[in-house]
Amino acid sequence: DLGRHDEALVLKREIYARRVAMGGAADETILTGGNLSSALMKVGRFAEAKTLLRDEMLPMARQSLGPTHGLYMDTEEWLVQALCMDPNATRDDLREAETIMQDVLQRRRRVFGPAHPSTAWCEGELA
């Protein structure tokens, strides 16, 4: 980590904007958006990350992949990270994060089974 998070953010915004403009494979756009949300969180822009995830990425993932797709559940977990890592998180934010994770865990158990690594990770996050 070279600590050049602001520079990385500029590049990740450009890449995401180009990916959205190109259209095409939603999963690649969602992954690019995930990189952008991570970059936003690294520079402390949690509100912007939450807006990106809630208003753009989750609707796109739900429509194109569906709620039982692993990448859709990953996108929900990125929102949970944004909610929990925000130093200004409220109790309502933390309750929302817990509710999302409980829902994701139920779907991961049903889709992937209890022994799958992503299911185990999700269980650990809720512990």
Side-chain angles (χ1 to χ4, degrees):
D1 184 359
L2 299 175
R4 298 169 61 183
H5 302 294
D6 289 320
E7 293 173 55
L9 178 57
V10 170
L11 294 173
K12 290 180 183 195
R13 280 187 199 280
E14 289 177 19
I15 293 167
Y16 179 70
R18 287 181 187 172
R19 173 54 74 190
V20 169
M22 284 179 13
D27 57 338
E28 293 178 20
T29 304
I30 294 163
L31 288 169
T32 304
N35 290 336
L36 175 56
S37 71
S38 177
L40 288 165
M41 287 185 262
K42 283 184 180 178
V43 297
R45 296 184 182 183
F46 295 97
E48 191 175 347
K50 289 183 270 191
T51 298
L52 171 68
L53 290 159
R54 273 193 187 113
D55 297 350
E56 292 183 39
M57 294 178 56
L58 280 171
M60 179 191 318
R62 179 177 277 284
Q63 181 180 11
S64 61
L65 304 173
T68 59
H69 192 282
L71 186 53
Y72 178 79
M73 291 184 267
D74 291 345
T75 306
E76 289 178 299
E77 289 169 354
W78 298 334
L79 176 57
V80 167
Q81 289 176 351
L83 289 165
C84 293
M85 291 172 58
D86 186 346
N88 297 314
T90 65
R91 282 191 170 162
D92 287 341
D93 291 334
L94 299 178
R95 277 189 217 108
E96 178 184 0
E98 183 178 20
T99 299
I100 292 168
M101 283 301 284
Q102 288 172 341
D103 184 51
V104 169
L105 177 58
Q106 288 176 1
R107 281 181 281 137
R108 285 199 184 277
R109 283 179 179 150
R110 189 172 61 247
V111 173
F112 301 119
H116 193 276
S118 65
T119 304
W121 179 87
C122 194
E123 288 172 339
E125 289 297 302
L126 279 167

